[in-house]
Structures are given as structure tokens and as C-alpha cells.
Amino acid sequence: MSENCNYLYDVSMSYVNAGWQDRYCALVKHIDAYLKENFKEFFAELQLYQTGPMNYVVVAVYYDVPGVAEELPKILSYVNAEYRQAVGHNVRRKQILKFDLAKKLHGQSEVCLKASEETEESDDEQPRTDRPIEKGEDIIEE
């Protein structure tokens, strides 16, 4: 991708049980490498931040290009399967920001502007409310 591309972000927090931190970090690096190889036209990178001894923030960075929202279920399916296999219930994740569910208010590219013009808003839609994520629950497309 060129240096002048726009990005979309998914942000999640993770709480990692004691003793699982190294395995968790290795898992994130593994997922990052796989997604870069297999979804390179849509996926830019995973950024991993440690905010406490057992607390992490993961920022998934996607290219703002046509088709990225349609690829997201495939990407999340892979990620959820890898989490289940590698760390099971030893990591709890909570989604903070999903680019496909949030309304971007600033910094929209032409792709986002066109997509938002084509999207019809429903009067009966209720705003999404946060709820606690159960231990080991997958992050899924709603």
C-alpha cells in the first residue's frame, strides 16, 4: 500500500491471566504475521500495547479501501479461532472500537464518504450499549 493511504481501526482491551503474558504476546505477533500475508490488501498491522502487568490494548489497523468491511468476518473468524486454540479462557477481550460499527466523524476518506452516503439510517435502530465480555468470549461481528 502507498504511504498516502487512509486507515481504519479496531481497538480492543485484553486482560491476560498471570503466567500467560508471553504466550499472549507471541499469539498477537503470530496473528499479525498471518494477516499481513493473507489479507495484505486490507490489513496493515496489529499494534500491541501493555497498560498494566496483565492488561493490554490491541489496535488492528486496516486499509480504508473498498471491500475491507466484507473481509472483516473472515479475519475475525481466523483471529477468534487462534485465540481459542492458543490461550483459551486465559485471555478476556473487550472491544472498544470497531470501524464498521462506529460512525467516523472526522478524517473520512473518499471511500468512507461514499459508503456513508449509500447507507440508509433506520429510525428504529437503538444505539449499541456496552456490556461486559464474558471470560473467553469471542469478538464477533454484530
Side-chain angles (χ1 to χ4, degrees), residues 2-139:
S2 81
E3 293 295 318
N4 295 329
C5 60
N6 292 299
Y7 299 98
L8 299 168
Y9 302 92
D10 277 354
V11 181
S12 62
M13 293 188 317
S14 296
Y15 175 82
V16 181
N17 287 347
W20 287 83
Q21 292 88 342
D22 290 341
R23 190 164 185 180
Y24 173 72
C25 291
L27 170 65
V28 172
K29 291 175 185 178
H30 166 76
I31 291 171
D32 180 55
Y34 177 88
L35 295 178
K36 284 178 179 174
E37 178 66 28
N38 293 282
F39 294 93
K40 56 186 148 213
E41 60 275 4
F42 303 106
F43 178 80
E45 68 177 341
L46 285 179
Q47 298 173 4
L48 179 63
Y49 300 90
Q50 187 169 13
T51 59
M54 297 185 290
N55 298 306
Y56 297 84
V57 173
V58 178
V59 179
V61 184
Y62 299 90
Y63 298 115
D64 188 1
V65 296
V68 67
E70 291 77 16
E71 289 297 307
L72 191 58
K74 294 178 197 170
I75 292 169
L76 290 179
S77 176
Y78 169 78
V79 170
N80 288 332
E82 288 297 305
Y83 266 86
R84 277 191 302 278
Q85 179 181 348
V87 294
H89 295 295
N90 292 292
V91 173
R92 286 174 282 178
R93 301 181 289 161
K94 180 179 181 182
Q95 194 76 34
I96 298 170
L97 170 68
K98 289 186 69 165
F99 74 82
D100 60 328
L101 296 180
K103 182 175 182 180
K104 194 182 225 183
L105 301 176
H106 179 72
Q108 293 182 333
S109 72
E110 290 301 311
V111 172
C112 286
L113 288 174
K114 289 178 185 168
S116 65
E117 289 170 0
E118 296 170 3
T119 303
E120 292 182 24
E121 291 188 24
S122 170
D123 292 334
D124 60 356
E125 273 188 38
Q126 296 298 315
R128 181 175 166 194
T129 58
D130 285 339
R131 61 176 175 74
I133 300 293
E134 296 299 320
K135 191 173 185 178
E137 184 176 345
D138 292 338
I139 297 175

